[in-house]
């Protein structure tokens, strides 16, 4: 995607933004617009707020970056057009650009005149981990608002190979449409419990892992998730493609740091849906496993 601004100005601009935030208020928890001395042509800069994790907490937090625009709408469903691009500077700092012409698409139902109203029309959002020491910066086209939601997570739970259900539900019936096996892979199945009387949005994160020997370096499982569609059903399942290789940093470590540990890889975030099973295929090796977390959305700010 072509970004219409001069890249050479970015390091200077981001330095000004980050320096201003570091010297200013230390409050977190809300979105704040940044007014830099210099702006990108046609773009405005927004700084996300970063929430400090509670001491001793091992529960991660994700930030959802939500672009949108106040527009007149009717009874149709409306969505702001545009997409995000993630950029990395030479010093490793990341920033995000949402490019949009400010137009929205909608369904085409006939609506009574009394349904017309002003509303925040959202565009496609992205999720980032809340692990930055400085608030991430987002650039958006003029007239586009940037909001955020912080998501909190449960602890990770294992997904089992054996299908164990005693009560027939919509999800257990739907499992019949999914493949029972895949050469070279083990099948794992998760039935999510129905959550009643809750207005909070939830997502599920699928976490692959391999148990292996590690040292004092930071390790990560190599591999990617591929989403496969089931023809004729509209359902999908996940395949984690990996040979079990592990990447790591390259620090020199004492021998006494060697230990056996679960090393996780790239995860997959999906909508919470108790009406369908979550079916995951993981390489058929004794040291592979798969877990899941449930994420819960906070307020949009």
């Amino acid at each position: 995607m072509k970004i219409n601004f001069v890249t050479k100005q970015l390091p200077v601009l981001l330095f000004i933004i980050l320096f201003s935030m570091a010297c200013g208020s230390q409050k977190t928890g809300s979105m704040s617009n940044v007014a830099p001395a210099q702006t990108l042509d046609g773009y405005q800069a927004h700084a996300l707020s970063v929430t400090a994790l509670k001491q001793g907490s091992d529960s991660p937090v994700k930030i959802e970056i939500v672009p949108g625009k106040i527009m007149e709408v009717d009874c149709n469903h409306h969505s702001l057009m545009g997409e995000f691009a993630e950029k990395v500077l030479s010093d490793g700092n990341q920033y995000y650009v949402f490019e949009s012409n400010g137009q929205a698409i909608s369904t085409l139902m006939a609506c009574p005149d009394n349904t017309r109203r002003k509303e925040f029309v959202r565009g496609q959002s992205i999720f980032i981990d809340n692990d930055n020491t400085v608030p991430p910066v987002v650039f958006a086209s003029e007239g586009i608002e940037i909001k955020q939601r912080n998501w909190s997570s449960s602890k990770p739970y294992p997904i089992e190979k054996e299908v164990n259900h005693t009560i027939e539900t919509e999800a257990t019936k739907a499992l019949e449409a999914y493949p029972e096996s895949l050469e070279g892979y083990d099948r794992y199945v998760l039935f999510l419990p129905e959550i009643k009387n809750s207005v909070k949005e939830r997502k599920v994160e699928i976490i692959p892992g391999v148990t292996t020997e590690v040292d004092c370096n930071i390790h990560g499982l190599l591999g990617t998730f591929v989403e496969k569609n089931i023809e004729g059903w509209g359902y999908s399942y996940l395949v984690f493609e990996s040979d079990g290789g592990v990447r790591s940093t390259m620090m020199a470590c004492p021998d006494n740091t060697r230990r056996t540990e679960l090393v996780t890889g790239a995860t997959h975030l999906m909508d919470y849906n108790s009406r369908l099973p979550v079916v995951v295929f993981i390489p058929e090796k004794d040291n592979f496993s798969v877990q899941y977390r449930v994420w819960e959305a906070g307020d949009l700010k």
Side-chain angles (χ1 to χ4, degrees), residues 9-233:
Q9 293 179 339
L10 284 175
V12 176
L13 175 59
L14 287 182
F15 175 79
I16 293 171
I17 294 171
L18 299 178
F19 181 79
S20 299
M21 291 186 294
C23 296
S25 170
Q26 297 301 311
K27 293 181 181 179
T28 60
S30 63
M31 177 69 65
S32 58
N33 285 338
V34 178
Q38 204 174 4
T39 59
L40 302 178
D41 184 23
Y43 288 81
Q44 293 179 329
H46 306 260
L48 303 180
S49 62
V50 177
T51 302
L53 296 178
K54 295 180 180 178
Q55 189 172 6
S57 173
D58 59 354
S59 296
V61 173
K62 285 186 183 292
I63 298 173
E64 181 184 11
I65 307 175
V66 185
K69 184 179 180 180
I70 300 295
M71 306 178 73
E72 187 178 70
V73 299
D74 53 20
C75 69
N76 284 284
H77 175 75
H78 298 75
S79 179
L80 179 66
M81 297 175 65
E83 60 181 356
F84 273 105
E86 182 179 339
K87 303 290 183 178
V88 182
L89 295 174
S90 58
D91 61 3
N93 281 323
Q94 294 174 318
Y95 64 98
Y96 304 88
V97 178
F98 182 71
E99 190 173 70
S100 171
N101 61 9
Q103 301 298 310
I105 56 174
S106 73
T107 51
L108 295 173
M109 297 187 297
C111 297
D113 289 340
N114 62 5
T115 64
R116 301 194 73 83
R117 63 201 185 278
K118 294 284 188 178
E119 190 174 274
F120 181 73
V121 177
R122 294 176 49 170
Q124 185 174 4
S125 60
I126 58 170
F127 288 81
I128 63 174
D129 292 326
N130 181 44
D131 56 5
N132 293 283
T133 55
V134 293
V137 176
V138 181
F139 292 99
S141 305
E142 290 182 0
I144 305 298
E145 294 183 56
I146 296 293
K147 298 187 178 184
Q148 78 176 79
R149 284 199 295 183
N150 289 350
W151 290 67
S152 57
S153 73
S154 70
K155 68 178 183 180
Y157 299 98
I159 302 179
E160 303 297 337
K161 284 186 195 179
E162 301 299 325
V163 178
N164 183 16
H165 59 87
T166 55
I167 300 175
E168 191 173 75
T169 65
E170 192 174 348
T172 61
K173 292 177 183 177
L175 183 62
E176 298 175 3
Y178 290 77
E180 294 184 2
S181 61
L182 187 64
E183 186 176 356
Y185 292 84
D186 286 324
R187 188 178 80 160
Y188 293 76
V189 178
L190 169 64
F191 295 111
L192 293 166
E194 182 181 0
I195 300 176
K196 297 181 179 180
N197 304 320
S198 176
V199 296
K200 291 192 174 181
E201 189 175 341
R202 291 175 173 82
K203 289 187 178 289
V204 178
E205 184 178 28
I206 309 302
I207 310 165
V210 63
T211 301
T212 187
E213 189 178 66
V214 298
D215 54 20
C216 71
N217 284 284
I218 299 172
H219 300 75
L221 173 62
L222 295 169
T224 57
F225 273 113
V226 177
E227 189 170 1
K228 304 278 190 177
N229 294 318
I230 303 175
E231 188 175 348
W233 289 88

